[in-house]
Amino acid sequence: MMKKILLLVLICLTMGTTYAASNMKLPPHIEYRNYGVYGILDYTHYFTLTEVDFLPEFSGFNAWNAVLGFQIRKETAIGLGFTYLSEPSGGLTQVPVFVELRSHLTRDRLSPFTVLSVGYSFPTGSYSGGQQAVSIETGGVNFGLSAGARFAINRNLGVNLHVGYKMLSMRDVRVNDAPLTPASDEALLLHNITVGVGINF
């Protein structure tokens, strides 16, 4: 008798679950736009892998990025952007300007993407503390490669997460370790791992 009751309860639960599933309203499928002008604003942190002898406390940059571009189709978009790279001392603060090639692999609500960027960095800051002074006299080429995922809130607005690699070169960094000694000039190449979050619109 107990087995029959359990079997009846199981049949009722199965039928109820099937009915509920068939009548459940799933969220609408969203296709993100795949043509036209686009913009991106994001914050990225650069974890610098290169040791900088003259700034021993330096470990990376805070980066604010802005991009304006044109989406040719979902697989191809070309944009022009700039980044404000700041670090606590200010000696290596700079503004890279770059061209990006962006590829979204689908138009679905959740879409993976890749970004390739190439540009040039312009120096903006300097550092002077104690007996040391540091400034970028001449910037250099920057190169980046990143991958991530975009989540569409609606057809024209989304958020994204991404990780990647960024190379920054400075052709002439001036370092002066004492007031009465000549400043030394050296080239600096920084390798960085990047992690960021942004808004697509």
Side-chain angles (χ1 to χ4, degrees):
M1 183 67 177
M2 193 63 164
K3 289 183 180 179
K4 290 181 179 179
I5 293 174
L6 287 174
L7 182 60
L8 183 61
V9 170
L10 183 61
I11 290 171
C12 290
L13 285 173
T14 303
M15 291 176 63
T17 303
T18 304
Y19 177 80
S22 65
N23 287 277
M24 190 189 316
K25 291 188 176 180
L26 298 173
H29 174 72
I30 291 178
E31 286 193 355
Y32 201 79
R33 70 178 186 275
N34 67 342
Y35 184 80
V37 176
Y38 72 90
I40 294 172
L41 296 173
D42 79 29
Y43 166 78
T44 303
H45 188 76
Y46 288 36
F47 297 93
T48 301
L49 306 178
T50 308
E51 187 174 332
V52 181
D53 295 332
F54 52 84
L55 288 176
E57 301 300 319
F58 171 73
S59 61
F61 295 95
N62 290 308
W64 290 267
N65 308 290
V67 178
L68 181 65
F70 192 84
Q71 186 84 29
I72 300 169
R73 51 182 182 170
K74 76 174 189 294
E75 298 89 355
T76 309
I78 299 174
L80 177 65
F82 71 91
T83 301
Y84 178 68
L85 285 178
S86 70
E87 53 91 12
S89 79
L92 299 181
T93 296
Q94 56 196 284
V95 176
V97 177
F98 58 88
V99 175
E100 71 166 29
L101 177 64
R102 182 175 293 262
S103 298
H104 284 93
L105 305 184
T106 71
R107 290 171 60 197
D108 297 337
R109 169 165 265 178
L110 184 63
S111 172
F113 67 86
T114 61
V115 182
L116 173 67
S117 66
V118 179
Y120 187 88
S121 293
F122 296 93
T124 60
S126 63
Y127 165 76
S128 181
Q131 293 188 328
Q132 188 184 56
V134 177
S135 63
I136 305 172
E137 298 300 309
T138 308
V141 173
N142 63 75
F143 166 81
L145 183 62
S146 62
R150 180 200 64 209
F151 180 80
I153 297 170
N154 57 43
R155 183 170 169 79
N156 298 303
L157 181 65
V159 294
N160 71 76
L161 295 171
H162 55 86
V163 296
Y165 165 80
K166 190 79 171 186
M167 181 274 289
L168 297 167
S169 68
M170 286 140 274
R171 290 188 294 167
D172 185 1
V173 179
R174 185 160 294 177
V175 182
N176 193 326
D177 291 323
L180 300 178
T181 59
S184 62
D185 297 318
E186 58 182 274
L188 183 62
L189 182 65
L190 298 181
H191 300 283
N192 307 272
I193 298 298
T194 64
V195 179
V197 58
I199 300 173
N200 299 61
F201 57 92

